[in-house]
Amino acid sequence: MISSRLAVLVSGGGTNLQAIIDASRAGKMPDTTIAVVISDRENAYALERARLNGIPTVCISRGAEFENQLIAALESFDIRVVALAGFMSILSEAFVRKYADRILNIHPSLLPAFGGKGFYGLKPHEAALNRGVKITGATVHVVNEIPDGGRILRQKAVRVCANDTPETLQKRVMEKAEWVIYPKEINKFCKYKAKESAKG
Ligand code: GRF
């Protein structure tokens, strides 16, 4: 079984990373090898989640050398696929072009709604509530040079409840959508990339 080596990029709590780790340990990601977790923030609890599961970690401080150091880390771990999971740094166009069709992201809305520059953290949920939508959800997409603009791979809808706050809506979207579709879509993408590599 050929699998793809995966790097997960994190900045915060790492609940999406935990969902990926749990799915992998349950045997639900046979085409994926979680090779390294990389953070741009040394205090990210996501790093602790990796350590608790025996996954190598790398912390790279933000700044002028960030992307060069990130490339060096990805090459040293022989990474084929990169999954952004609550990663807060903006990657340059040059970096995204170098890793074209190899980076995935999970966004907490049904893109193109409530996506793009500035829509991170609670903001997509605040915007959904302000607009009065009855359905929102999460989107797995390929990362390109347009913020949240790459091709959409999978989406999952979640009902908005009348008494929702941004926090309760975020929690439901994470539990019912993000943590469900991201591990599945990462593994499907890793399988596709492994076959692509096998063809040479
Ligand atoms: C989540 O809402 C996710 O949609 C977004 O970042 C937030 C935090 O993710 N990408 P995590 O708990 O750090 O995985």
Side-chain angles (χ1 to χ4, degrees):
M1 168 82 69
I2 305 171
S3 69
S4 290
R5 291 174 62 80
L6 174 76
V8 185
L9 271 53
V10 298
S11 299
T15 63
N16 274 288
L17 169 66
Q18 190 64 56
I20 296 162
I21 291 171
D22 294 347
S24 181
R25 294 176 76 104
K28 295 177 183 171
M29 299 180 76
D31 305 287
T32 307
T33 301
I34 308 172
V36 63
V37 171
I38 301 173
S39 181
D40 58 352
R41 288 163 171 80
E42 63 185 19
N43 62 346
Y45 185 67
L47 289 171
E48 184 60 16
R49 293 182 192 271
R51 292 183 196 113
L52 290 171
N53 287 278
I55 299 167
T57 60
V58 174
C59 187
I60 304 173
S61 53
R62 285 159 284 163
E65 281 307 301
F66 177 79
E67 290 192 350
N68 288 334
Q69 291 173 358
L70 177 57
I71 290 167
L74 294 174
E75 289 176 353
S76 71
F77 280 89
D78 193 23
I79 297 303
R80 184 91 188 93
V81 175
V82 177
L84 309 184
F87 185 65
M88 295 298 283
S89 290
I90 301 296
L91 297 167
S92 69
E93 283 193 27
F95 182 92
V96 170
R97 273 199 300 273
K98 177 178 176 62
Y99 286 89
D101 200 40
R102 292 172 64 187
I103 308 173
L104 301 183
N105 186 42
I106 179 91
H107 182 77
S109 75
L110 296 177
L111 291 175
F114 315 123
K117 197 168 173 53
F119 280 104
Y120 56 87
L122 282 174
K123 293 183 189 308
H125 306 296
E126 290 165 355
L129 292 172
N130 291 340
R131 185 66 185 82
V133 296
K134 305 307 175 191
I135 298 290
T136 185
T139 302
V140 180
H141 64 94
V142 176
V143 172
N144 68 5
E145 64 284 356
I146 301 163
D148 298 325
R151 79 177 185 280
I152 291 172
L153 298 178
R154 188 182 286 226
Q155 296 186 301
K156 192 168 191 302
V158 167
R159 184 192 312 279
V160 180
C161 297
N163 57 351
D164 261 329
T165 65
E167 290 76 10
T168 59
L169 184 55
Q170 179 183 49
K171 186 170 183 294
R172 189 177 315 112
V173 168
M174 290 171 102
E175 290 174 350
K176 304 293 185 195
E178 295 177 40
W179 302 344
V180 174
I181 63 175
Y182 210 14
K184 286 177 185 170
E185 201 54 36
I186 287 171
N187 190 69
K188 184 178 169 189
F189 195 78
C190 282
K191 184 172 185 175
Y192 148 69
K193 283 298 182 184
K195 284 184 177 173
E196 192 182 63
S197 300
K199 284 181 195 154

